[in-house]
Amino acid sequence: DIQMTQSPSSLSASVGDRVTISCRASQGINNDLAWFQQKPGKAPKSLIHAASSLQSGVPSKFSGSGSGTDFTLTISSLQPEDFATYYCQQYNTYPITFGQGTQLEIK
Amino acid sequence: QVQLVQSGAEVKKPGASVNVSCKASGYTFTSYAVHWVRQAPGQRLEWMGWINAGNGGTKYSQKFQGRVTITRDTSASTAYMEVRSLRSEDTAVYFCARDRSMADWGQGTLVTVSS
């Protein structure tokens, strides 16, 4: 199975900050990577697919980059509603696998 | 708009089975796959398997092979997932999601396994 490792596992930031979350795959996955936002008690929300393509309706403050094994999610100008847990997911090879999550907290 | 509506919470005893449904609307059901993902308390998301809603073909994570069955009813635009031989470690929220990129998700179904 392809292992997905996110860093950091938790992150404290302030409203207005710009943050970056990293995701590394244990083997190359081309650009078959998605990012999700999850709030407590809710289903994940898709933000980005194909490493850098924004899902419809997702604000442009979210951006993704990378290919192969190393990927990043950047969130600019943090707002209170952005504080949540973020997951990366590879869908290049079955089984589909997720990172362990990055918990973004208010400083 | 696309909606995936799942069945309600379940409480089961160890060894029992559970069936979770996922009713789709707002798109052509048979044109997209339905994936199933679960999340145990405090854990990461875990992919379980998927069904091609058009031809009924399935693929499962090896971890769940033989214990999980995914089916669909095209007339009802609904996918189903059955988990058998439940154990306490299966206590989790179970989600359905549309297509491999999982752009749309159901609201989740809490399955609690407890004696």
Side-chain angles (χ1 to χ4, degrees):
Chain A
D1 298 2
I2 296 177
Q3 308 301 316
M4 304 300 291
T5 304
Q6 292 180 229
S7 60
S9 293
S10 64
L11 177 58
S12 292
S14 301
V15 172
D17 283 355
R18 178 175 180 266
V19 298
T20 297
I21 299 170
S22 297
C23 178
R24 174 165 288 179
S26 61
Q27 64 190 70
I29 58 171
N30 298 318
N31 68 338
D32 296 330
L33 184 107
W35 288 97
F36 299 89
Q37 176 194 69
Q38 188 178 32
K39 296 182 179 179
K42 299 293 188 184
K45 174 187 175 182
S46 178
L47 300 174
I48 286 169
H49 66 103
S52 60
S53 296
L54 218 55
Q55 288 285 6
S56 175
V58 173
S60 59
K61 62 188 300 181
F62 293 95
S63 63
S65 64
S67 184
T69 60
D70 292 299
F71 302 87
T72 59
L73 172 70
T74 300
I75 312 169
S76 62
S77 188
L78 281 171
Q79 296 302 305
E81 61 270 21
D82 299 327
F83 292 91
T85 299
Y86 292 84
Y87 292 94
C88 62
Q89 174 226 44
Q90 69 80 20
Y91 51 89
N92 177 267
T93 303
Y94 289 110
I96 291 171
T97 47
F98 293 84
Q100 81 278 18
T102 295
Q103 191 168 2
L104 177 56
E105 300 169 327
I106 299 178
K107 187 183 289 183
Chain B
Q1 76 282 18
V2 173
Q3 273 199 303
L4 298 172
V5 179
Q6 298 182 222
S7 48
E10 303 263 13
V11 179
K12 296 292 183 180
K13 293 194 182 303
S17 298
V18 68
N19 207 316
V20 181
S21 67
C22 171
K23 182 170 176 59
S25 61
Y27 70 97
T28 302
F29 178 69
T30 51
S31 295
Y32 293 87
V34 176
H35 290 254
W36 289 89
V37 175
R38 77 177 187 180
Q39 188 172 38
Q43 300 300 307
R44 74 175 72 188
L45 298 158
E46 182 176 32
W47 179 79
M48 301 179 70
W50 69 281
I51 186 165
N52 180 322
N55 64 20
T58 55
K59 187 170 183 67
Y60 301 99
S61 168
Q62 198 157 359
K63 176 175 178 176
F64 300 104
Q65 189 85 40
R67 204 163 67 91
V68 169
T69 301
I70 301 172
T71 57
R72 97 288 191 222
D73 178 348
T74 56
S75 67
S77 297
T78 300
Y80 303 91
M81 183 185 63
E82 180 189 32
V83 184
R84 299 177 291 280
S85 302
L86 287 165
R87 32 208 190 229
S88 58
E89 309 89 88
D90 294 317
T91 293
V93 178
Y94 290 76
F95 295 100
C96 60
R98 184 174 74 116
D99 210 15
R100 196 174 60 149
S101 65
M102 301 188 191
D104 305 286
W105 293 64
Q107 82 277 17
T109 297
L110 174 62
V111 176
T112 303
V113 183
S114 174
S115 55

